[in-house]
Amino acid sequence: MTSTDRSAEWLKTGGLRPTRQRLALAELLVGDGMNRHVTAESLYALSSEAGEKVSLATVYNTLRAFCDAGLMNEVVVDGSKSYFDTRTDDHPHFYWEDSHSLTDAPAEELEIAQLPQVPEGMAVARVDVVIRLRKA
């Protein structure tokens, strides 16, 4: 399967129309079959390096559409910093404070014994675990 085919199939699973810009960004995200953690700014830089003509606003809007379609998850590290993860299963993350990067942490080593009771009429949508790391 080519990277373009993989990207088009990924968009199709989310029910998204494969526009030129969506396909270009999807190819950067999942074209090689690997998972990615990106910020809007880092994806914009990648697209510029690849010669794609997309604005930063388009990148933000497209990432939001990918999240709304269930193709990605947004991981908020600080109130002002969001990362977008192409791996959508439940798993923890390491946030590397020195390099400001996000990576997957080993899920098999995480144990959550209990969650607090949620308010009446509410359900847990997702639990995000971000473990912040810095040099000792």
Side-chain angles (χ1 to χ4, degrees):
M1 181 178 274
T2 68
S3 62
T4 302
D5 292 340
R6 185 177 291 112
S7 303
E9 188 61 33
W10 187 67
L11 292 173
K12 185 178 176 183
T13 63
L16 294 174
R17 193 168 43 91
T19 65
R20 182 192 63 76
Q21 292 175 324
R22 283 180 182 163
L23 267 172
L25 295 174
E27 196 161 346
L28 292 169
L29 291 167
V30 299
D32 63 359
M34 303 298 292
N35 286 306
R36 300 270 184 290
H37 300 93
V38 299
T39 63
E41 293 80 8
S42 69
L43 184 57
Y44 174 73
L46 282 173
S47 67
S48 294
E49 290 169 17
E52 291 298 327
K53 300 219 183 310
V54 294
S55 69
L56 183 57
T58 297
V59 172
Y60 271 106
N61 291 336
T62 303
L63 286 170
R64 182 71 45 225
F66 291 169
C67 288
D68 290 346
L71 297 172
M72 302 184 82
N73 283 325
E74 181 178 12
V75 180
V76 179
V77 174
D78 291 321
S80 61
K81 191 69 162 178
S82 288
Y83 290 80
F84 297 88
D85 189 356
T86 57
R87 184 176 161 193
T88 58
D89 66 316
D90 290 333
H91 64 283
H93 291 97
F94 285 135
Y95 176 70
W96 304 80
E97 290 185 342
D98 294 342
S99 62
H100 305 287
S101 60
L102 191 74
T103 60
D104 293 336
E108 64 278 0
E109 296 177 23
L110 177 69
E111 189 174 313
I112 299 175
Q114 183 176 337
L115 295 175
Q117 188 167 353
V118 298
E120 188 175 327
M122 302 303 293
V124 174
R126 194 172 93 201
V127 175
D128 290 328
V129 176
V130 177
I131 302 158
R132 299 175 73 98
L133 303 174
R134 69 172 150 240
K135 290 193 176 164

